[in-house]
Amino acid sequence: MLDIIVVTLLVLGLIVFFGGSLGIVRFPDFYSRLHPAGKMDTLASLFMLGGLALYELNDISSTSVLTALKIMLILVFVFIASPTATHAIVDAGFRAGQKPWTQGQPRR
Amino acid sequence: MKKLASVTILLLGIMLIAITAEFPRWGDPQSPASTYLSPHFIEKTIEETSVPNIVTAVLGDYRGYDTMFETTVVFCAGAACFFILGAFRREDDDQIRYFRHKDTGVVLKVKPNGTRPNSRSDFERIDPTWTPYDFIVSRVASLMIPFIQLFGLYVVAHGHHSPGGGFQGGVILAAGFLLLALSHNLRTLSARVSNKTLGLMSASGVLIYAGWGALALLFGGNFLDYSVLGVLLGLDPIAARSMGILIVEIGVALTVMSTMVIIYNNVASVGAYDEGL
């Protein structure tokens, strides 16, 4: 039962990671490319690391619980750091004078 | 001339490829490296130095001279950066300065000979290329920096047991400082740790390494032979080697950390230290 949940979470993470990469390649400009880079990667790490933490809890012992806790800590770190980094990059791009893409313009 | 050069390069290339064929095969058990040196390190590290991480043992003990001079090279890089960019500049007063009133956000422009607000008053000095105070980035950075520094200390202290050591830990510690400088500004970093302190720390890291090695001479051992220092630490010679590596790694971490920050300070402010990005 636990294995099914773990595999589902990992596959979901892979799908979201794939969507994120596709978005980075396909979107037309700087700001819209950062959108999948910031959002999808954060969500996909939630799925992936959550699945790995659950897998560690397969047999409950002090070491496995500790490992799962460490993975959850990484998750918290990613959840704080990744959106902030995206925010900082967008901010820097705006200050550097990057114009957002509008409909009808060529891809950049 | 050009033809001659290309013929020479071609011949040299053929020679290099021909010599490559003479190299021992990848993972060949009969190659000189695998016959006596690697087995010695792999089998004897624990009983000779009581360090579980072989890489750290090789780096800090078997190959101590090399690591000492690597640390010196790092120190020299910081010193060179300082001398090239910053040696002949002073904080010159013939510049326009900007001061912001902390409560209202009003910015004053002070001409070169104008009277400046008292540094302890409600005004703070800001950069000419001043960018608005970004609340999210600076708050999150302040939240994360303590954890980054703590992690750096762990990496330094756990170099014996897990991947890590002075170089890696020093870089992580420096990353915390650089994050502070990037998320706030360079002056916030300078207010916490001045460039002079950084230079002293950088030099003292090398001094810790070389001094610890030279201390072994006083106790009747060879240079960098930590086992004789067990008397000083109250440990047996084998455990003293492990402890000696830790002390040496702390020296390396100090040098690497402060040199990284020195290089950043110099490059980011073109040797002026106070203006920032």
Side-chain angles (χ1 to χ4, degrees):
Chain A
M1 184 57 206
L2 197 65
D3 280 350
I4 297 171
I5 301 173
V6 168
V7 168
T8 318
L9 279 173
L10 288 181
V11 168
L12 261 176
L14 276 177
I15 290 170
V16 177
F17 261 134
F18 179 73
S21 334
L22 204 66
I24 293 169
V25 176
R26 290 285 300 152
F27 274 1
D29 79 325
F30 176 73
Y31 297 109
S32 50
R33 277 200 198 104
L34 275 169
H35 180 72
K39 278 204 165 75
M40 308 284 264
D41 282 9
T42 318
L43 183 65
S45 350
L46 169 70
F47 285 138
M48 293 292 235
L49 293 171
L52 292 177
L54 268 184
Y55 182 74
E56 274 299 320
L57 288 174
N58 222 339
D59 53 328
I60 304 268
S61 68
S62 60
T63 39
S64 71
V65 170
L66 198 63
T67 314
L69 269 179
K70 282 176 189 165
I71 293 174
M72 296 318 276
L73 270 180
I74 296 173
L75 197 56
V76 170
F77 190 79
V78 168
F79 255 65
I80 295 172
S82 175
T84 314
T86 315
H87 168 79
I89 294 169
V90 169
D91 217 28
F94 192 72
R95 259 182 226 150
Q98 279 273 345
K99 292 273 181 301
W101 178 84
T102 48
Q103 208 169 15
Q105 286 179 343
R107 281 167 50 86
R108 276 177 282 184
Chain B
M1 199 62 199
K2 222 171 184 181
K3 268 181 191 163
L4 191 70
S6 44
V7 166
T8 319
I9 287 171
L10 205 71
L11 278 176
L12 276 174
I14 290 168
M15 247 170 76
L16 274 177
I17 292 168
I19 288 167
T20 321
E22 299 288 318
F23 280 174
R25 297 181 71 82
W26 178 254
D28 183 10
Q30 301 303 319
S31 74
S34 313
T35 43
Y36 65 101
L37 203 57
S38 303
H40 181 89
F41 286 155
I42 292 166
E43 287 161 13
K44 298 273 171 60
T45 298
I46 277 282
E47 54 186 272
E48 280 181 0
T49 64
S50 78
V51 172
N53 187 348
I54 299 172
V55 177
T56 308
V58 170
L59 207 75
D61 200 330
Y62 292 115
R63 221 187 57 178
Y65 270 104
D66 190 72
T67 313
M68 191 180 89
F69 285 108
E70 273 169 16
T71 316
T72 317
V73 164
V74 171
F75 170 66
C76 289
C81 209
F82 172 76
F83 282 124
I84 290 169
L85 286 167
F88 306 111
R89 288 166 204 267
R90 286 191 309 276
E91 190 181 340
D92 40 358
D93 282 331
D94 55 341
Q95 275 183 6
I96 294 168
R97 300 283 190 214
Y98 295 86
F99 292 87
R100 181 175 56 172
H101 189 241
K102 280 175 189 165
D103 296 331
T104 56
V106 175
V107 177
L108 294 183
K109 178 177 171 185
V110 179
K111 287 184 177 166
N113 297 320
T115 43
R116 300 173 174 195
N118 192 335
S119 58
R120 275 188 221 158
S121 66
D122 296 333
F123 288 90
E124 60 176 349
R125 220 181 96 200
I126 55 175
D127 302 327
T129 54
W130 179 62
T131 46
Y133 179 70
D134 195 309
F135 185 78
I136 297 174
V137 174
S138 58
R139 277 311 107 186
V140 171
S142 317
L143 191 75
M144 284 191 328
I145 286 165
F147 293 102
I148 294 173
Q149 300 284 44
L150 191 66
F151 180 62
L153 289 179
Y154 269 123
V155 170
V156 173
H158 278 245
H160 304 83
H161 297 274
S162 56
F167 289 99
Q168 293 86 343
V171 168
I172 295 171
L173 283 170
F177 283 109
L178 298 195
L179 187 59
L180 182 72
L182 284 172
S183 63
H184 295 71
N185 54 17
L186 194 58
R187 201 170 305 112
T188 317
L189 176 64
S190 307
R192 278 173 175 70
V193 48
S194 73
N195 221 55
K196 197 190 251 175
T197 319
L198 286 170
L200 280 175
M201 270 156 73
S202 184
S204 66
V206 179
L207 189 72
I208 287 173
Y209 200 135
W212 190 247
L215 204 60
L217 287 173
L218 288 182
F219 282 77
N222 290 323
F223 186 59
L224 291 174
D225 180 8
Y226 316 127
S227 60
V228 291
L229 291 164
V231 192
L232 201 67
L233 299 163
L235 296 167
D236 59 294
I238 305 295
R241 281 184 171 276
S242 155
M243 196 48 104
I245 291 174
L246 175 65
I247 288 168
V248 158
E249 296 277 11
I250 289 169
V252 173
L254 256 181
T255 300
V256 171
M257 176 187 79
S258 40
T259 303
M260 292 275 293
V261 181
I262 285 175
I263 290 174
Y264 173 81
N265 278 358
N266 277 295
V267 173
S269 66
V270 208
Y273 304 128
D274 58 342
E275 292 301 337
L277 286 170

